[in-house]
Amino acid sequence: MLLPRRFHARVDVRWSDMDVFQHVNHARMVTLLEEARIPWLFEDGRPTASLREGCVLADLRVRYRGQLRHEDTPLDIAMWIEQLRAVDFTIGYEVRAAGAAPDSHAAVVASTQIAAFDMPAQRLRRLTDAERDYLSEWMA
């Protein structure tokens, strides 16, 4: 089976990410998703690194299909672009425990809509051609 192109980040679960029920807390899961997208989009040399200067989270959706625990570290967080528009894009996520098969059911399925933002002008801005070209390489 040929899987679509995905960026994979390995993110460690910290002891403090756990809640009283011994699984990853919702607020911490949102932080883990953020930590996963940083090396994909914001590192030097990426065409989207300019988004470090200004972008805003416009929407967030998280669906839990299974538990993730401390012993599941490092989590495998697969990411791709679900939608690409003039000023924003939507990232899809699938989160699996360490060692899980890439085609297995994900414990967490999520999406974030991120909009490019001109901080000095305090308004949305259009994605540059370079940003759009890079993001389009990851379209589902």
Side-chain angles (χ1 to χ4, degrees):
M1 179 169 117
L2 183 61
L3 295 174
R5 185 170 187 212
R6 304 284 193 248
F7 185 91
H8 288 265
R10 303 267 187 261
V11 180
D12 288 327
V13 176
R14 297 167 293 260
W15 188 253
S16 61
D17 294 335
M18 311 307 295
D19 65 15
V20 71
F21 302 110
Q22 300 301 308
H23 57 250
V24 176
N25 173 277
H26 170 72
R28 296 304 185 118
M29 179 54 65
V30 171
T31 299
L32 295 170
L33 295 174
E34 179 182 31
E35 290 174 6
R37 69 179 174 259
I38 288 170
W40 180 36
L41 298 176
F42 302 127
E43 282 189 353
D44 288 341
R46 303 257 190 240
T48 49
S50 55
L51 291 170
R52 291 185 304 206
E53 298 170 19
C55 67
V56 293
L57 186 69
D59 188 56
L60 166 70
R61 297 170 194 263
V62 183
R63 294 174 303 282
Y64 296 94
R65 297 182 171 167
Q67 294 185 46
L68 291 168
R69 300 175 179 274
H70 189 265
E71 59 266 18
D72 294 324
T73 199
L75 301 178
D76 175 30
I77 303 180
M79 295 166 285
W80 65 95
I81 300 299
E82 291 182 339
Q83 184 178 36
L84 179 58
R85 301 186 316 176
V87 300
D88 63 23
F89 55 97
T90 302
I91 301 171
Y93 304 82
E94 290 182 340
V95 183
R96 292 178 176 80
D103 60 349
S104 65
H105 290 288
V108 175
V109 177
S111 66
T112 54
Q113 179 188 10
I114 297 177
F117 198 77
D118 181 334
M119 288 296 194
Q122 286 296 293
R123 63 178 171 81
L124 296 175
R125 69 162 177 84
R126 295 181 74 80
L127 292 165
T128 66
D129 289 342
E131 290 167 341
R132 286 184 58 77
D133 289 347
Y134 178 72
L135 293 168
S136 68
E137 293 175 19
W138 300 95
M139 288 288 294

